[in-house]
Amino acid sequence: MRALVLTLAASTSLIAVPIAAPAADAPLLIPRYSEETKTSGINSIYAGDWQYMVGGGVATFDCDGNGYADMFLAGGEAPAKFYRNTSKHAGPLTFKAETSGLELESVTGAYPLDIDSDGNVDLVLLRVGENVVMRGLGGCRFKRANEDWGFDGGDAWSTALAATWEHGSDWPTIAIGNYIDRREEMFPWGSCTENWLHRPVADQGQRRFAPPIALKPSFCPLSMLFTDWNRSGTPSLRVSNDREYYKGGQEQLWHVEPGKEPALYTPQEGWKNLRIWGMGIAGYDLNLDGYPEYFLTSMADNKLQTLAKPVEGGKSEPGYSDVAFAKGITAHRPYAGGDVRPSTAWHAQFEDVNNDGRADLFVAKGNVADMPDFAAKDPDNLLLQKPDGKFEEAGDKAGVENYATARGAALADFNLDGLLDLVVVNRWETAKVWRNTTEKAGNWIEIQLKQDVTNRDAIGSWLELRRGDTILRREITVGGGHVSGQLGWRHFGIGEAEGADLRVIWPDGRASDWQPVAGNGFYILERDKPVKTWRPG
Amino acid sequence: MKIIRRFAGMILLVLVAGFIQPAFAVAQPDSRQAEQVMRTWYKLVLELVRHTPTYSPPVASRSFAYLGVTGFEALATGNDGLKSLAGQLNALQPGPQREAGKVYDDALVVDAALSFAVQNFFSNTGPTGQRALKAMQAKMRERAVSGLPDDVISRSEAHGRAVGEHILSWSKEDGGAVIENMGFPLEYTLTEGPAHWVPTSLIAQQQLPLLPNWGKNRTFAMANGATCGLPAPLEYSEDKNSTFYKDAFEVYTAVKDLTPEHRVIARFWSDDPMLSPTPPGHWISIALQVLEHEKAGPEQTADVLARLGVVLADSFIGCWDAKFRYDLVRPLTYIRRVIDPKWEAILNTPPFPEYPSGHSTQSGAAADVLTKAFGDNFAFEDATHAADGLKPRPFPSFWAAAEEAGISRLYGGIHFRAAIERGLDQGRCIAGYVNALKTRK
């Protein structure tokens, strides 16, 4: 029995106004981004031919303990690169390439997480070939740990990852999605290879991975996410699959419960057949009902799914309504550049880029590779959420009208000024970085969660920010997007509010007390301790 | 009774392996393998249709027609028993001929012709399709030329390519060569009034109907898209005593009371674009299975694939002419408006007008062509969707399959009965023109 049974309906029934409560007809604050690629020190190309047509991820994490997010960029057939963040507080974005041990070839993407809970961030590198777990040694040095941790990297074309700490476990469970059989030339369609679930060994004292089990059937995923979609307290595994290559496949949702074999949600349980070119997952509670919406990227169409019939106590059926069209967030065609052909969407991420208290959406776009049916000039999207919950395109006005062939991306506050900056990985040309230079943006709060002993970054928590009747919620996850992961500060915009109340529902279901925090500050919330203020050096 | 019991994937492996191994190891020209060349290329084409987003059913049918004619003409130029389709198909002029007294290898001619045709008709397939195409070209050619003299190789390949170029040139002015935005117009004015089509999808691209001008394309065997025109659909009415309401209520009830068997049928013939070889590809798949089972030679293989491709293409032109002439509302719209606002169809409602049913038109047409080729009451088992986990279905005849394909659209909740019955009639009419073509001297 979980320590806390959430009463979501009670809290959401009162929610009628966003946290900043702007007037419904107030003009949207268009954020301003300045591209600083050339001066940033970033120069990393996601290179390679057919085997790298998908992938191209970025990982952001703090590996030197200064609070600033460092960066790892997949290089495809070229060696990956690590960049230490040398930016100054509120200053230009600067990075320095360093040898870290992460400079492997054939990397498609990466996700940071502290696997061994030693306080140093580790990375899982997804590759064409053997996947590798890299143990963080501190000081941004990393060392291969497959053998030490019993991690079987296999030999596949890996394109998705999600991680969680199952209840009672002191070691993470990692799901890895694998794409098609790369050795099949003439008839690769229908050759999806098996996805893997790397669970801890049964003996809790060993702290290592058991041999992976196959998640069958496998349908060529390009994104996976452990998410507590029904607020049962136990995350399920959401898998977004590329219909280009599967036969008989569809989107998937897996029960992953401690001590049990994973099992697919079935039509009898309410799961509905959906078949898309699934490429990326972004989750966020947009309608403030306590349950995450999911944006699923695809080609010529993107989905925004909202739980059709939420039921308290984790009893909801996994039936979703597609509200992308109603919300103006289909992002199915370039909004600028003159190319009218359909778009190809990859990484997606909800964040509040103008600090108005509403989550916005960034979508990386780019043709697979010379597909004439799809736009060649396919600018990335920056869709701003309006007070009525609909979205408005602002990529060009904001200055992130990127026409490169984008894949992975990350919105992160690289210079710790409370405004979310942007890095986008591009195929065949260097990754690009933009500094968020928005003037008169709203107030903000950034938070890090900490636990002792295990799962130190509290993956699986729900972070809540309350002001009046409005509660903003973020699920703390590892996974999703397009082969791009982040570990670090969790950002909220709060508009004109001067502060808010903060609490966390920890992975075991226990809720902290509400604690007041002032706007425009960084906070570290450690379990069973008062919230601590943190300031960038 | 003839029963085919094979799975599509197994057929594919056998075909590729069988063709690629000993068949071309002979030194002498040998036409026996030309049929294998055709079937192998078509197997790839079925995948390319599925995996090239432009290939909605009408667009796919067009390519099947040109590929079929390409294969047939490539073979016919060296076969005294075959009669060219030039002068029979609209605007098709006589093509390049083989040099008298020179030796050609039929299989290599057909391979070169189809290799060229597939590369051009699927030029917009994605990187995986392009990679597969190159691999297929290389491996097919490697085996095809094995043991042949250089002059036969160069002569055969040049002729095959010339035939391919001739057909490609013919195709360019038919009105269907350029497809933009996956066939969805960027501007289109919907017809006003409750009887007419409105979008049924939440996909932004599908707010305007697919290929509204496809019915104006140049036809192949019949005179034009209106040649097999249909009477007007039932008069629109929301009166519960009207025939229109009763037809709609039949769809509503059929979906509401769907039996497991009807659900299987709806799914089996769903043939969704980008998730299957599409409805015309389904019939091509049936033909390939039958041709292989019957051990059909090159002449019959080429004949069947050409006629079937042509009749499928003409079916979509004729059907689209009627669809946009009458522009009838879909059951989903009507039932939600008049009967049950929360009603859901089993299948995704296609993004274009309802009347007639495209699957019915083209299935009726295909059934008539295949019946003429293989006879009445030709029993077969259809394993088209085996790789997708759908069990093969047995049919006592091609018409039984066509009728099941038609009624599947009612079970699926996307067509009224009248659209199905009239669609099958339209297909029969269109097939009459194709069956009248002379392919043998």
Side-chain angles (χ1 to χ4, degrees), chain A residues 50 244-245 247-248 275 373, chain B residues 47 51 54 124 128 267 388:
Chain A
W50 183 72
E244 181 75 7
Y245 294 106
K247 292 198 171 178
R275 296 173 290 182
D373 288 343
Chain B
E47 292 289 356
H51 298 288
T54 296
N124 54 348
T128 300
R267 180 74 189 88
D388 284 279

Side-chain angles (χ1 to χ4, degrees), chain B residues 45-113:
Chain B
V45 165
L46 290 177
E47 292 289 356
L48 295 180
V49 163
R50 176 174 179 156
H51 298 288
T52 308
T54 296
Y55 280 75
S56 60
V59 179
S61 72
R62 176 181 179 273
S63 287
F64 286 129
Y66 286 118
L67 291 176
V69 175
T70 298
F72 181 84
E73 292 295 311
L75 195 67
T77 56
N79 189 310
D80 291 339
L82 296 179
K83 178 179 172 60
S84 170
L85 292 166
Q88 300 187 75
L89 298 177
N90 297 326
L92 177 59
Q93 301 299 317
Q97 299 299 308
R98 302 189 190 192
E99 285 185 68
K102 301 289 186 181
V103 176
Y104 291 80
D105 181 84
D106 277 350
L108 188 52
V109 170
V110 170
D111 179 56

Side-chain angles (χ1 to χ4, degrees), chain A residues 52 104-109 125-132 144 153 155-159 178 182:
Chain A
Y52 301 97
L104 276 67
E105 294 178 349
S106 308
V107 176
T108 58
L125 306 188
L126 301 177
R127 300 176 72 227
V128 178
E130 182 195 38
N131 297 322
V132 179
R144 175 187 170 97
D155 180 14
W157 181 350
S158 295
T159 49
N178 294 316
R182 64 191 191 274

Side-chain angles (χ1 to χ4, degrees), chain B residues 240 245 248-249 252-253 255-256 331-345:
Chain B
K240 288 188 176 180
Y245 182 93
F249 200 80
Y252 173 70
T253 306
V255 172
K256 196 175 175 186
L332 187 74
T333 307
Y334 181 89
I335 291 171
R336 285 182 176 175
R337 179 193 299 155
V338 179
I339 300 173
D340 180 354
K342 294 185 177 178
W343 185 75
E344 296 282 353

Side-chain angles (χ1 to χ4, degrees), chain A residues 148-190:
Chain A
D148 290 348
W149 291 347
F151 183 82
D152 179 357
D155 180 14
W157 181 350
S158 295
T159 49
L161 180 145
T164 187
W165 268 260
E166 296 186 63
H167 293 309
S169 178
D170 59 2
W171 197 255
T173 291
I174 297 175
I176 288 182
N178 294 316
Y179 212 44
I180 54 179
D181 179 352
R182 64 191 191 274
R183 298 178 178 90
E184 178 55 66
E185 278 192 306
M186 282 199 292
F187 293 95
W189 304 282

Side-chain angles (χ1 to χ4, degrees), chain A residues 50-51 53 157 180-190 243-249 272-273 275-277 299-301 303 321-326 330 332-333 340-342 368-374 427, chain B residues 12 16 20 40 43-44 47-48 50-55 123-129 131-133 135-137 139-140 179 181-182 184-186 201-205 207 267 270 272-275 348 387-389:
Chain A
W50 183 72
Q51 291 181 31
M53 64 182 171
W157 181 350
I180 54 179
D181 179 352
R182 64 191 191 274
R183 298 178 178 90
E184 178 55 66
E185 278 192 306
M186 282 199 292
F187 293 95
W189 304 282
R243 73 182 187 186
E244 181 75 7
Y245 294 106
Y246 60 63
K247 292 198 171 178
K272 291 182 179 176
N273 190 358
R275 296 173 290 182
I276 60 174
W277 287 291
M299 300 169 74
D301 183 38
K303 304 291 185 189
S321 302
D322 177 15
V323 296
F325 189 66
T330 55
H332 60 286
R333 183 184 294 160
V340 299
R341 291 173 291 180
V368 176
D370 302 323
M371 284 187 77
D373 288 343
F374 292 87
R427 192 173 184 201
Chain B
L12 181 62
V16 173
I20 281 173
T40 306
K43 291 297 179 184
L44 178 63
E47 292 289 356
L48 295 180
R50 176 174 179 156
H51 298 288
T52 308
T54 296
Y55 280 75
S123 60
N124 54 348
T125 196
T128 300
R131 180 174 179 265
L133 178 55
M136 177 71 87
Q137 287 173 323
K139 291 188 179 179
M140 292 281 280
I179 305 297
N181 196 33
M182 295 166 66
F184 293 95
L186 299 175
S201 168
L202 294 175
I203 296 173
Q205 189 186 40
Q207 299 309 299
R267 180 74 189 88
S270 177
D272 298 306
M274 294 172 272
L275 292 163
N348 292 326
D388 284 279

Side-chain angles (χ1 to χ4, degrees), chain A residues 112-438:
Chain A
L113 72 165
D114 186 358
I115 291 173
D116 59 354
S117 299
D118 67 349
N120 292 321
V121 62
D122 312 305
L123 262 80
V124 184
L125 306 188
L126 301 177
R127 300 176 72 227
V128 178
E130 182 195 38
N131 297 322
V132 179
V133 288
M134 300 296 294
R135 181 180 181 181
L137 306 175
C140 298
R141 299 285 303 170
F142 296 84
K143 180 184 176 186
R144 175 187 170 97
N146 285 26
E147 291 73 21
D148 290 348
W149 291 347
F151 183 82
D152 179 357
D155 180 14
W157 181 350
S158 295
T159 49
L161 180 145
T164 187
W165 268 260
E166 296 186 63
H167 293 309
S169 178
D170 59 2
W171 197 255
T173 291
I174 297 175
I176 288 182
N178 294 316
Y179 212 44
I180 54 179
D181 179 352
R182 64 191 191 274
R183 298 178 178 90
E184 178 55 66
E185 278 192 306
M186 282 199 292
F187 293 95
W189 304 282
S191 73
C192 295
T193 54
E194 290 177 349
N195 301 328
W196 301 318
L197 192 66
H198 299 264
R199 280 178 142 166
V201 290
D203 183 346
Q204 292 296 303
Q206 292 196 47
R207 290 170 60 86
R208 57 191 280 120
F209 293 102
I213 58 175
L215 286 169
K216 293 191 289 188
S218 303
F219 296 134
C220 292
L222 290 176
S223 192
M224 290 174 148
L225 183 67
F226 275 111
T227 175
D228 189 6
W229 62 274
N230 59 356
R231 304 304 302 273
S232 66
T234 299
S236 305
L237 179 63
R238 182 88 197 230
V239 185
S240 196
N241 296 307
D242 184 359
R243 73 182 187 186
E244 181 75 7
Y245 294 106
Y246 60 63
K247 292 198 171 178
Q250 57 175 292
E251 296 288 286
Q252 294 173 309
L253 184 66
W254 292 85
H255 296 273
V256 181
E257 297 173 3
K260 295 181 181 178
E261 290 294 309
L264 278 172
Y265 274 87
T266 65
Q268 291 72 31
E269 293 175 283
W271 182 246
K272 291 182 179 176
N273 190 358
L274 176 65
R275 296 173 290 182
I276 60 174
W277 287 291
M279 294 168 156
I281 305 172
Y284 208 102
D285 177 17
L286 296 175
N287 61 3
L288 311 182
D289 68 350
Y291 299 89
E293 276 64 49
Y294 299 101
F295 188 79
L296 307 176
T297 57
S298 184
M299 300 169 74
D301 183 38
N302 299 291
K303 304 291 185 189
L304 179 61
Q305 295 192 321
T306 189
L307 194 59
K309 296 175 183 173
V311 179
E312 281 185 53
K315 304 295 185 187
S316 305
E317 289 188 354
Y320 284 86
S321 302
D322 177 15
V323 296
F325 189 66
K327 298 288 186 185
I329 202 171
T330 55
H332 60 286
R333 183 184 294 160
Y335 57 89
D339 196 330
V340 299
R341 291 173 291 180
S343 277
T344 307
W346 303 86
H347 183 84
Q349 186 173 348
F350 286 108
E351 297 286 357
D352 185 352
V353 294
N354 52 7
N355 292 344
D356 64 359
R358 297 182 294 271
D360 310 301
L361 177 67
F362 174 81
V363 184
K365 294 278 188 70
N367 199 299
V368 176
D370 302 323
M371 284 187 77
D373 288 343
F374 292 87
K377 291 181 67 178
D378 201 357
D380 301 338
N381 299 90
L382 188 61
L383 290 140
L384 304 181
Q385 188 179 174
K386 299 186 288 187
D388 62 2
K390 295 183 179 180
F391 288 78
E392 180 176 305
E393 181 61 57
D396 49 350
K397 300 185 194 84
V400 293
E401 191 181 355
N402 173 36
Y403 288 102
T405 307
R407 291 291 188 268
L411 283 160
D413 184 1
F414 288 119
N415 61 356
L416 299 182
D417 63 352
L419 295 168
L420 292 173
D421 310 300
L422 174 65
V423 56
V424 177
V425 181
N426 301 303
R427 192 173 184 201
W428 301 312
E429 62 182 285
T430 187
K432 296 182 181 180
V433 293
W434 287 262
R435 178 158 62 110
N436 188 334
T437 56
T438 308

